Amino acid sequence: TITGTTYTTYNFTVDAIDAQAQSSPRLFNIITSEPNYNSPGDGEYTSDSDTIMLLHGNGNGNDSSSNSHTATAVGSASFTSSGVVKLGTGALDNNTGNSVNDYFTVASSSDFAFGTGAWTIDFWYYLRDTESMTNLFLLGTHSLNGEIKIRGTAGGAYNVEITPTGGGTQYAINATPSGSIPQDTWVHLALVRVNAGASTLYHNGTSVGTVTTSGSCGIGTTGITLGSRGIATQNLDGLLDEIRVSDVARWTSNFTVT
């Protein structure tokens, strides 16, 4: 089984000799697939020891990590298995119409209290339409301690806000990728924090902004909201796929997205 385009082919020949001493060589191929941890678009991700949550969205909200962080659809949001799908057999569809009532939630967990260590949040998204703000990923509560929020703006830019767990300065990345944020196109987005405290936003594998964040990040008492933050004109009209949270910096420089 080949799960992506990353695989290895082994060739070997078996030479059989019959009773008349006639040689009949046969060539065989064995193809082995390799787990996909850090190659966005090269098949679905494989969960590893650094994976906190991994949502494939293949018709359900099951978490493919070992931590059971199941996503729940609210309102008319659904786990679609038809139409626009990036990888696998499904995606998380926030419905149409930019409704404040259509979104996904993941329950709170101490796993989402990252502390001072490294972490990565990455996923694919597909916009049908834009609003003043398009909330893609929200851990915690808007503007409160422990918040990590990733959203797009009507002007084709990104707004990222990170508020330390213990409060204090709210750190932000405001950046516009080359060509702005497109509609009707799958885009890979990754927010990566390294141990030194630098948090970088990657759009399709290219760094678009970095901010130095001190202190602990994340929160374990408030969960994740995907596609909304409970306010009109700031909701996702589109889809999400391969939503992953990791307790490691998956990338520290630009990377390839396929």
Side-chain angles (χ1 to χ4, degrees), residues 140-166:
T141 303
H142 171 70
S143 292
L144 295 186
N145 295 356
E147 167 212 31
I148 299 175
K149 180 168 68 255
I150 306 171
R151 57 187 178 177
T153 72
Y158 291 112
N159 168 245
V160 173
E161 294 178 357
I162 303 171
T163 305
T165 307

Side-chain angles (χ1 to χ4, degrees), residues 161-242:
E161 294 178 357
I162 303 171
T163 305
T165 307
T169 302
Q170 183 184 77
Y171 304 100
I173 298 174
N174 294 289
T176 302
S178 176
S180 299
I181 297 175
Q183 291 185 29
D184 303 317
T185 301
W186 281 104
V187 174
H188 183 263
L189 200 62
L191 180 61
V192 182
R193 191 202 198 202
V194 298
N195 287 315
S199 296
T200 300
L201 184 68
Y202 295 93
H203 169 94
N204 281 335
T206 299
S207 170
V208 294
T210 298
V211 64
T212 299
T213 51
S214 62
S216 297
C217 292
I219 186 169
T221 56
T222 308
I224 294 171
T225 304
L226 303 169
S228 178
R229 75 172 183 89
I231 187 172
T233 74
Q234 293 201 15
N235 307 289
L236 170 62
D237 181 357
L239 303 97
L240 298 164
D241 204 355
E242 289 297 285

